[in-house]
Amino acid sequence: LPPDPGGKSRRSKEDDTDSATAMTVAGIVNLLNHGTLTDSALNDSGGERRLRPGDIAVLVRQNKQVAWMRDALAAAGIAAATQSNDSVFASEAAGEVRALLLAFAAPSDPMRARAALATRLLGEDAAAIAALEGEAMELQRWQARFEQAGALWQQRGPLPALLPFLAGASETRLREHGGARRLTDELNLSDMLQVEAPAQHGVHGLLRWFSRH
């Protein structure tokens, strides 16, 4: 946020929150007024269309901030669908992120590796997973990726470990019905896990915290 113009008084937390909310809403208004999105389904307009409210997601850490942002957007004439942290933890995305984290925590466990591969996030179908029984090298390749992710998790936290998998799935996700919502949930969960990680006791402590929600 910009410094206090007077330079004499500290900004309160409430002032910072109000300013951040106002700046976010102003940015969204600008995007909706001037932004475009590449869409291969639109041939007549060169593959581009105007941005819509449903193309934009705002991630916040607390449920009360969801209400603040929703009300600020409504005041600017922008309708917003909201989802609380509680519902994110109960979503399909939570199960998929948890499956990946379990594989990162124990990459040598073939059951955990297969469970991660079976998620829509990684996209391996039942036939491909069954074929791993006779393709040890392919299973080992995935386990090596999970092991690298697990090491990154321990060094830098769960978000950097998860992001390559989320980024790799993003194009497919955005073509699926409801895929943008799932991708947003996965990113939101990853961010919340990153914030919570320092308060937990290592990898297994964070997994226990995740399982309680």
Side-chain angles (χ1 to χ4, degrees):
L1 292 172
D4 179 22
K8 296 180 180 179
S9 61
R10 282 189 171 185
R11 299 173 62 93
S12 69
K13 186 174 181 180
E14 290 76 12
D15 288 340
D16 284 347
T17 298
D18 290 345
S19 295
T21 301
M23 291 171 65
T24 301
V25 171
I28 291 172
V29 169
N30 184 60
L31 284 171
L32 292 174
N33 286 336
H34 306 291
T36 59
L37 181 70
T38 300
D39 190 335
S40 58
L42 299 175
N43 297 321
D44 296 339
S45 56
E48 289 192 347
R49 64 169 173 80
R50 292 284 298 275
L51 276 174
R52 304 166 185 154
D55 297 320
I56 301 170
V58 180
L59 305 182
V60 295
R61 302 194 191 284
Q62 299 176 349
N63 290 342
K64 63 183 180 181
Q65 294 170 329
V66 173
W68 295 342
M69 184 58 64
R70 180 197 60 217
D71 293 346
L73 287 168
I78 302 169
T82 62
Q83 188 169 28
S84 70
N85 290 351
D86 292 341
S87 58
V88 171
F89 280 111
S91 67
E92 177 188 357
E96 301 213 335
V97 169
R98 186 178 292 109
L100 258 68
L101 292 177
L102 287 169
F104 297 170
S108 62
D109 185 335
M111 294 295 291
R112 289 192 178 189
R114 290 189 181 90
L117 292 172
T119 62
R120 294 174 68 171
L121 185 58
L122 296 189
E124 297 292 331
D125 59 25
I129 294 171
L132 292 175
E133 293 290 346
E135 297 179 9
M137 290 187 64
E138 179 66 10
L139 178 59
Q140 289 167 7
R141 183 180 71 82
W142 277 108
Q143 289 176 306
R145 283 195 67 189
F146 295 151
E147 184 175 11
Q148 291 172 356
L152 189 59
W153 179 1
Q154 294 190 53
Q155 294 165 7
R156 297 175 52 198
L159 179 60
L162 287 163
L163 277 179
F165 294 89
L166 300 181
S170 61
E171 186 175 345
T172 302
R173 269 283 194 256
L174 294 175
R175 290 198 301 265
E176 298 172 348
H177 177 69
R181 176 75 268 169
R182 284 191 293 276
L183 181 60
T184 299
D185 288 346
E186 288 154 1
L187 290 168
N188 196 5
L189 285 161
S190 300
D191 186 60
M192 287 190 286
L193 287 162
Q194 184 74 11
V195 171
E196 184 63 29
Q200 301 304 318
H201 298 290
V203 167
H204 297 290
L206 187 60
L207 283 171
R208 285 193 294 272
W209 176 85
F210 196 5
S211 297
R212 289 196 297 268
H213 286 76

